[in-house]
Amino acid sequence: SIRSARRPAAGGPARAGVERGLWHRPALLNLISDLLTLGAAVALGWALVIWFVSRPLFPLRELVVLTEPGQVTAEQLDYAARLAVQGNFFTVDLEDVKQTFEKLPWVRKAEVRRRWPDALELRLEEHEAVAYWTVSESGEARLVNRQGEVFVAASNADMPQFDGPQGSASWLLARHAEFSSMLQPLGVRLVGLALSAREAWQLQLDNGMTIVLGREQDKSPLMDRLRRFIAVWPRVHEQIDIDIKTADLRYASGFALTPADASVLQQPVAPAARKGRK
């Protein structure tokens, strides 16, 4: 075998590697240049859009209330608008404006839309209070709307008083309608309804009488006990002719009455005959 003793020229392979590098590939360089130019153009265009819409060229000048407010005052609407409406026609945050109006005491829901070219449309749904509410655990005063939701507001309307555990307002509202319908034959109005933590019911009537229903019983359902009392009460009240403070209906076969003057109900007893000779 014959082997050559000559060494390769210095820098030969290295020079070939350099010639195959990035700077010797014009097509790839042109592609990268085009991508960089496109990215810079998009960024510049977006910056111009942001700058344009943030200029005071589209100011909001008017808030149009589409629903006639009942409980919400003009001062409250003005305060909420000044607090929430930030930016111009394009940059205003409608969700933030909506949430701000829904924090007003009597507002249940709010809907906000843009009206070209310089206004916002506001549609309000107000709470319709149907009862006062007291949370049993804390004693805090609230109101109950027609949907059975508890909200914070002030009112002096003539409404029934509900007392119960937190989260039971809708249940009390439904039961109030049932009890009120049942009590109509007595000519009284249900002005108070209470539910204890052990689910015991108590009714307050407008004539001052309290009906203690207690808890649901398997052998003597709550509604059956109330129906029985309503059926016999007119005749019983006519016979005793005493103002009753409390009617306790927790018994399976009857009810107990507590007079308003704390006297004891007793049947009249004939005097005993005298013994002795005439």
Side-chain angles (χ1 to χ4, degrees), residues 3-272:
R3 183 173 58 185
S4 174
R6 296 181 59 184
R7 296 180 179 179
R15 187 179 302 110
V18 172
E19 291 177 355
R20 291 193 298 270
L22 177 64
W23 299 107
H24 294 275
R25 302 175 65 179
L28 182 58
L29 289 175
N30 290 337
L31 177 60
I32 294 175
S33 176
D34 292 342
L35 291 176
L36 291 175
T37 302
L38 178 61
V42 170
L44 179 61
W46 180 251
L48 289 174
V49 170
I50 296 298
W51 176 85
F52 179 75
V53 299
S54 62
R55 296 299 90 192
L57 301 177
F58 305 96
L60 290 169
R61 295 188 174 90
E62 188 178 13
L63 176 67
V64 182
V65 183
L66 300 179
T67 53
E68 185 68 23
Q71 299 290 344
V72 182
T73 65
E75 291 75 14
Q76 290 175 324
L77 293 175
D78 182 70
Y79 172 78
R82 294 179 183 276
L83 183 66
V85 178
Q86 304 291 334
N88 60 24
F89 183 83
F90 294 102
T91 62
V92 62
D93 190 339
L94 296 184
E95 183 62 25
D96 184 63
V97 176
K98 172 181 177 294
Q99 293 178 2
T100 301
F101 279 106
E102 288 181 347
K103 292 178 181 178
L104 294 176
W106 283 92
V107 176
R108 182 172 183 258
K109 290 182 180 179
E111 180 183 346
V112 183
R113 299 177 59 183
R114 294 181 174 89
R115 176 191 284 187
W116 179 262
D118 58 357
L120 291 179
E121 292 181 347
L122 174 64
R123 191 183 301 274
L124 297 176
E125 179 186 347
E126 293 184 308
H127 292 285
E128 185 178 352
V130 295
Y132 296 99
W133 169 262
T134 302
V135 181
S136 300
E137 294 83 354
S138 61
E140 298 177 348
R142 299 288 187 268
L143 296 177
V144 181
N145 65 13
R146 192 165 293 278
Q147 291 76 24
E149 301 166 342
V150 179
F151 65 101
V152 180
S155 176
N156 56 0
D158 183 15
M159 299 182 296
Q161 173 67 50
F162 291 172
D163 297 88
Q166 188 172 0
S168 62
S170 59
W171 189 13
L172 269 77
L173 182 61
R175 276 300 177 95
H176 181 271
E178 296 177 12
F179 293 147
S180 296
S181 178
M182 295 176 64
L183 291 168
Q184 284 183 357
L186 299 183
V188 295
R189 188 166 61 93
L190 183 58
V191 297
L193 184 60
L195 176 66
S196 71
R198 300 179 68 249
E199 299 186 359
W201 294 91
Q202 183 170 298
L203 285 61
Q204 182 66 45
L205 308 183
D206 62 347
N207 61 3
M209 184 170 65
T210 300
I211 299 178
V212 179
L213 282 175
R215 303 175 62 187
E216 192 68 65
Q217 302 175 14
D218 294 335
K219 295 183 179 180
S220 180
L222 184 145
M223 288 299 191
D224 289 349
R225 284 179 273 137
L226 182 58
R227 290 190 188 96
R228 181 179 60 204
F229 173 79
I230 294 173
V232 302
W233 173 245
R235 185 172 68 254
V236 172
H237 186 251
E238 182 179 355
Q239 291 176 354
I240 62 177
D241 194 23
I242 296 176
D243 292 333
I244 299 300
K245 177 181 179 182
T246 305
D248 193 342
L249 278 58
R250 292 175 293 179
Y251 304 95
S253 58
F255 51 85
L257 302 176
T258 301
D261 60 359
S263 63
V264 179
L265 289 176
Q266 294 180 341
Q267 292 294 336
V269 179

